[in-house]
Amino acid sequence: MAQAQPQAQQHYTPEHMPDLVVVGAGLFGLTVAQQAAERAGAHVLVIDVRDHIGGNAYSYMDEETGAEIHRYGAHLFHTSNRRVWDYVNRFTSFTGYVHRVYATHDGEVYPLPINLGTINQFFHAHYTPAEAKALVEEQAGELAGTDPQNLNDKGVQLIGRPLYEAFIKNYTGKQWQTDPSQLPADIIKRLPVRFNYDNRYFKDTWEGLPTDGYTAWMERMAADPRIEVRLGVDFFDSSQPWNKAALVGKVPVVYTGPVDRYFDYELGDLKWRTVDFKEVRYDEGDHFGCPVMNYSDADVPYTRAIEFKNFNPERADRQNPDRTVVWQEYSRFAERGDEPYYPVNTEADRKLYAAYEAKAAAEPQVVFGGRLGTYKYYDMHQVIDTALTAYDERVAPMLAR
């Protein structure tokens, strides 16, 4: 594993410009910066308005409990992409963590995703896989064999009404702050149901958490002396030198912020969902016995709760055995100034993004990337994969010129 090296960094000034400016020190931006420095020998300036690197994958240690807190919600690394797996292992090793989720419904805890264990527990039965599959098809009722266009009917068609209403309907309503009958079906077209007892949440080839934490991983990506990272720098603040007007057209730029913000919302606002967190601390070593507990019922206002200590059982000897910290997660529509998490992605949003995408393509020497820059929800491995591709196809040719 690569170790962070002391940085004899360049200190770029408007008179001594870097070869590349990256706006945003998240996974996309850091991947492009690392590739540009290593493969092209480029001098790279990375700026971020936040006070930390790592974007939404940033984490920090909670002194009281010894838990690694994921500031922007649970981040679990998993991939079946060999190129991505080989790349990330240059900067961190991974624990053997396997993600499993549980859900509380009507005072009882069930394993998710819905699998044969969930089905047999829910119906107090001992169905075989074939019997469970036949039951689900029967419980789809009049929606069996149809292709519903709203989420509510699609959920019933996929897993039958009892399971859908117990585990999906109210959770989804809280998550989207919208009645599921008003949501498009494609949100859950891949709703997993397993007719065996496999309750692994992800099915990827590789899975785990960074051994030394997310922030240490990101710091190693930025450790090349040709990379300078400046935090607390707002790309849209014209009072400081590293602003949009001073950079675009004069130096290659990789932009990973909101695409509508880049154009000052001139075509309208793209819609996002955001999440808020409420912290609860307990005088006990382990509150849930698992890292993530979903709450499927409408009378619990939050969607899930995260107990961070349980992501890292290998650190038990460094954790407080008498205290634990839990974050309850609440979902709502984002407003300007909120942290955007998930694109709402209605037909109107897709049309609006297409218009912004056309404008972005015309920007001189600017590459838009990441979730915010492309209005897509990506897992971490997908962000890295698209960043590696963007470097090869877009950034490297600009640097060569």
Side-chain angles (χ1 to χ4, degrees), residues 140-150 153-158 189:
E142 71 282 2
L143 294 170
T146 65
D147 185 25
Q149 297 306 299
N150 72 75
D153 291 352
K154 187 66 178 179
V156 174
Q157 185 252 332
L158 286 171
K189 278 188 175 176

Side-chain angles (χ1 to χ4, degrees), residues 341-361:
Y341 280 77
Y342 308 100
V344 174
N345 221 5
T346 63
E347 184 177 351
D349 287 307
R350 289 192 291 269
K351 287 181 179 178
L352 180 57
Y353 171 66
Y356 276 123
E357 187 178 28
K359 289 179 69 66

